[in-house]
Amino acid sequence: MNTPRQELEARVADAVHKLFSPGPPAPYVRPCLDSRHGDFQTNAALVYAKQTKADPGDLARKLAEAIDLKDVAEKPEIAGPGFLNFRLKPDYLAQEVARRWSDDRLGVSTVTLPETIVVDYSGPNIAKEMHVGHLRSTILGDALARIYCFLGHKVIADNHLGDWGTSFGMILLGYKREGNPEKLRLDPFGHLETIYRKIQEEAKADESVREAAKRELVLLQAGDAKNRELWEQFRKTSLDALDVIYQRLGVQFDYTLGESFYNNMLADVVADLLKRFIARESEGAVGIFSDGKLAPKDDPFLVSDGGAYRDNPLLVRKSDGGYNYATTDLATIRYRHEHFHAQRVIYVVDGRQQMHFRQLFEASRRWGYGDMKLEHVWFGTILGPDKKPMKTKEGDNIKLKALLAEAEERAGKIIAEKMSALQIRMEERADEDAAERRLDLSEHQRVALARVVGLGALKYADLAQNRNLDYVFSWEKLLAFDGNTAPYVQNAYVRIRAIFRKAGLDRAPKAPVNLVEPAELALGRKLLDFADSVFLAAEEYRPHYLCLYLFELATLFHKFYESCPVLSAPDNVRDSRLVLCDFTARTLHQGLNLLGIDVVEQM
């Protein structure tokens, strides 16, 4: 099912190929930045004029005459040096609204060539509590996984846990000295972090403590029964605690394959890299160096140093014989290729790791896995009011559990205030709309509503940002019921459901759609853009495009609600507007669901 943009693009392409030989690349049709000039525009005439040194205005006139638009749009208008602007016909809009409203997928087609896509996200360390720094990876990865699944791809969500490495030597040493099984059961992260920090401080001052911790790690890596038993206990209690957070966020994984899963594969990875001359020994270590086939500025295994370039190898085995993250990551690539048959792997990891992934992807290509598309979807930092990474007053990372609890608590207070204000309106004005929206909530219902609003606001505030940018965290902004926020979008859905409750209906009756009023036309146009926004978010790994779409849709619905009566309109108008309302509600619901955000029927 073509979107209006795709339909226009196909018709422009057909005209271009008839007029111009050879024609320019596939004509690019995009939305007009200013709706006063039209709905869509193309620069096809400009592109061909540049190629042929012809007059772009003359080519635009010829193209305008050649495009068959009689059932889709008005005659295109020439603007500027050779743009063509298109305005969709009301009858076409109404027809497409009705067609997509009756479609379970709201007009969003599945992809023609589905892929097997691994989305690698969240990735906390066990024995350490998740903090605010894990929020972006977790909810961004979850949103992308949901979007790709909706588009028809086979998605494998993999939580690549940090559950192996040098820190466990210190934890094992500390736990053997003063571990408490009951404290581990009740507060695994708090107990293990306390132990780790204490041993870490002792190791800084006493080399013998550091050596003792190394010995514990060597025992673990060698399969010592006692250390293995303790490590498995730490891992299980940590995973149980992590699952509480993930369930609260509504995040699920298909696999939780931590670094430990790949440990037995690492020696073979290094041996194979050496055998193929991809890696070589240097100063007792093994690393992957530049092979000289890339320009120095594009080579991740070289780094500029005062105008000259020097080696910047990717180490895969340390001089002491130990392995590191790069070795594990290469083993993971091989496993995902051989066992998942992945065609694409998306790593949702912060921007500080860009060089690591550049090296990893180039090493993977040289190793023979170039047929698997690897993408680093990186993101910026959440900042506090001081424009520095968000911390507690004591300078520690804010625990994610505490952040989620505060979101729910603040949302609960706002809901209570709004309900109190609503009651006052009812008593003072006998406001019928307020009476219809009145909620007599039980304590359980209040808690559930606060969770939906609070966690939805927290997720949306993050996803609505361009992921490559840092952003300043603000409770007041993210919980506001106006502006580009989850409560604003959720409230549009609630308002629509109130209309249907008042009408005694669950869905709109099947009826002809007529778009006459400006607010109806604007809402209809926006509803037809849903598929484009979903595909754009998927293509660029940027859910903020979908957030912006939902915000604009909610805004247009609120304007429609204020200017176009629904239930009091004549029957034929009423039913047409109910279709618009129903289509809007389902689109908001589906769009928020793709972001991992819930809705409520009443607020």
Side-chain angles (χ1 to χ4, degrees):
M1 188 182 296
N2 276 353
T3 66
R5 182 190 61 78
Q6 291 169 332
E7 186 63 35
L8 284 172
E9 202 159 67
R11 296 187 182 217
V12 172
D14 184 60
V16 163
H17 292 308
K18 288 178 180 176
L19 282 178
F20 311 132
S21 181
Y28 178 48
V29 172
R30 60 184 178 185
C32 283
L33 295 177
D34 187 338
S35 60
R36 292 175 299 179
H37 299 151
D39 299 317
F40 296 94
Q41 67 177 198
T42 183
N43 65 347
L46 281 169
V47 172
Y48 190 64
K50 187 175 181 180
Q51 290 179 359
T52 60
K53 310 300 183 187
D55 175 37
D58 182 53
L59 295 183
R61 283 188 288 274
K62 291 178 180 177
L63 186 58
E65 292 295 329
I67 303 173
D68 177 15
L69 294 172
K70 59 180 178 294
D71 57 336
V72 175
E74 308 293 350
K75 183 177 179 180
E77 298 175 1
I78 301 172
F83 288 99
L84 286 184
N85 290 340
F86 306 97
R87 194 175 300 278
L88 300 175
K89 289 184 175 180
D91 287 349
Y92 171 77
L93 283 171
Q95 168 193 312
E96 291 302 303
V97 165
R99 192 158 71 109
R100 283 164 171 73
W101 168 72
S102 63
D103 176 31
D104 289 341
R105 293 181 54 83
L106 305 172
V108 184
S109 302
T110 54
V111 293
T112 305
L113 298 173
E115 296 178 289
T116 297
I117 302 175
V118 174
V119 185
D120 179 330
Y121 60 102
S122 195
N125 296 318
I126 70 164
K128 292 182 181 179
E129 190 165 355
M130 290 178 76
H131 55 75
V132 66
H134 295 107
L135 179 66
R136 299 200 81 175
S137 173
T138 303
I139 63 174
L140 175 58
D142 180 58
L144 291 174
R146 288 168 180 264
I147 290 169
Y148 287 118
C149 187
F150 180 62
L151 293 178
H153 297 287
K154 178 183 177 182
V155 175
I156 299 171
D158 189 3
N159 191 1
H160 189 73
L161 291 174
D163 64 353
W164 200 253
T166 56
S167 62
F168 286 99
M170 293 187 180
I171 294 171
L172 285 165
L173 178 64
Y175 192 81
K176 285 181 177 180
R177 288 183 177 182
E178 51 190 85
N180 184 310
E182 183 63 13
K183 287 183 178 179
L184 180 65
R185 184 181 69 82
L186 294 174
D187 184 18
F189 292 130
H191 187 47
L192 294 175
E193 280 196 60
T194 298
I195 286 172
Y196 174 71
R197 288 183 178 183
K198 184 175 181 180
I199 293 295
Q200 190 180 41
E201 287 302 314
E202 290 181 15
K204 289 178 182 177
D206 188 344
E207 184 63 26
S208 67
V209 175
R210 179 174 291 278
E211 290 303 315
K214 284 184 179 180
R215 288 194 293 273
E216 295 293 346
L217 178 62
V218 170
L219 286 172
L220 173 64
Q221 292 173 336
D224 176 77
K226 178 62 177 176
N227 280 15
R228 182 76 187 190
E229 179 185 354
L230 284 173
W231 174 82
E232 288 178 351
Q233 189 177 1
F234 300 158
R235 191 176 191 277
K236 182 182 184 309
T237 54
S238 295
L239 286 174
D240 289 345
L242 286 172
D243 281 344
V244 173
I245 297 289
Y246 290 134
Q247 287 176 24
R248 195 172 185 175
L249 286 169
V251 172
Q252 295 181 329
F253 298 95
D254 299 299
Y255 293 91
T256 303
L257 301 180
E259 294 166 351
S260 62
F261 178 81
Y262 302 96
N263 188 56
N264 293 334
M265 308 176 194
L266 305 185
D268 184 59
V269 167
V270 174
D272 196 44
L273 291 170
L274 287 167
K275 178 182 177 182
R276 294 168 181 259
F277 302 104
I278 295 167
R280 60 180 170 85
E281 291 190 17
S282 176
E283 299 179 15
V286 175
I288 299 174
F289 292 78
S290 171
D291 63 0
K293 293 182 179 179
L294 295 173
K297 65 181 179 63
D298 299 323
D299 195 327
F301 303 109
L302 296 174
V303 63
S304 178
D305 186 6
Y309 286 91
R310 59 178 174 81
D311 286 330
N312 180 37
L314 179 68
L315 294 183
V316 294
R317 191 176 72 201
K318 296 182 284 189
S319 57
D320 64 3
Y323 304 105
N324 55 20
Y325 295 125
T327 329
T328 303
D329 285 345
L330 285 166
T332 305
I333 286 172
R334 173 189 265 181
Y335 183 87
R336 288 168 173 169
H337 186 274
E338 294 179 354
H339 293 270
F340 295 154
H341 306 293
Q343 294 161 283
R344 194 180 348 168
V345 181
I346 299 169
Y347 296 83
V348 187
V349 182
D350 74 71
R352 293 172 296 178
Q353 300 298 319
Q354 290 180 73
M355 178 54 74
H356 170 75
F357 282 107
R358 284 186 61 208
Q359 291 186 316
L360 181 68
F361 296 168
E362 177 58 20
S364 173
R365 186 193 65 76
R366 285 164 58 179
W367 198 20
Y369 295 103
D371 60 330
M372 188 164 60
K373 187 177 181 182
L374 305 176
E375 294 284 350
H376 177 204
V377 175
W378 62 274
F379 50 86
T381 304
I382 303 176
L383 307 176
D386 59 357
K387 306 286 181 72
K388 295 179 180 179
M390 198 172 169
K391 304 274 187 180
T392 64
K393 291 181 180 178
E394 294 74 30
D396 297 324
N397 285 322
I398 294 174
K399 304 301 184 188
L400 185 54
K401 181 170 66 176
L403 190 71
L404 302 184
E406 186 171 356
E408 293 177 21
E409 180 184 352
R410 286 175 177 264
K413 288 179 179 178
I414 291 172
I415 290 166
E417 290 168 2
K418 287 187 174 293
M419 288 179 64
S420 177
L422 191 59
Q423 182 65 32
I424 292 171
R425 282 177 59 196
M426 289 169 58
E427 293 172 355
E428 292 181 350
R429 306 182 194 177
D431 188 311
E432 292 182 7
D433 182 55
E436 198 285 329
R437 293 169 61 190
R438 183 183 179 188
L439 286 175
D440 293 318
L441 297 177
S442 67
E443 182 61 24
H444 174 74
Q445 289 172 317
R446 285 175 182 263
V447 170
L449 180 57
R451 173 164 289 194
V452 169
V453 174
L455 298 187
L458 192 64
K459 288 184 176 185
Y460 189 96
D462 195 288
L463 294 170
Q465 311 297 323
N466 180 334
R467 60 174 170 79
N468 295 146
L469 303 179
D470 299 340
Y471 76 94
V472 176
F473 186 90
S474 167
W475 284 115
E476 290 71 25
K477 287 183 180 179
L478 70 90
L479 283 166
F481 275 73
D482 54 7
N484 189 11
T485 68
Y488 179 77
V489 177
Q490 288 168 323
N491 194 46
Y493 178 84
V494 168
R495 178 172 263 185
I496 296 170
R497 296 309 303 158
I499 292 172
F500 282 93
R501 281 195 304 276
K502 195 170 181 180
L505 298 171
D506 183 54
R507 287 280 307 271
K510 188 167 180 142
V513 175
N514 294 295
L515 305 178
V516 178
E517 298 297 328
E520 292 176 310
L521 289 163
L523 183 59
R525 288 190 196 96
K526 182 54 68 174
L527 285 166
L528 301 186
D529 289 342
F530 180 51
D532 280 338
S533 74
V534 175
F535 275 102
L536 185 61
E539 288 167 6
E540 299 195 14
Y541 311 107
R542 298 184 189 279
H544 80 272
Y545 290 130
L546 181 54
C547 292
L548 179 60
Y549 169 81
L550 295 173
F551 166 61
E552 291 175 344
L553 178 63
T555 299
L556 289 172
F557 173 77
H558 286 307
K559 290 179 179 178
F560 162 82
Y561 181 85
E562 298 299 332
S563 62
C564 296
V566 178
L567 299 183
S568 61
D571 287 350
N572 61 327
V573 177
R574 170 185 180 272
D575 289 349
S576 174
R577 289 177 179 174
L578 281 173
V579 169
L580 276 179
C581 290
D582 186 44
F583 193 179
T584 302
R586 289 167 58 211
T587 303
L588 292 172
H589 190 298
Q590 181 64 74
L592 288 170
N593 180 264
L594 293 177
L595 300 173
I597 297 172
D598 293 330
V599 295
V600 291
E601 294 293 304
Q602 293 176 287
M603 187 182 292

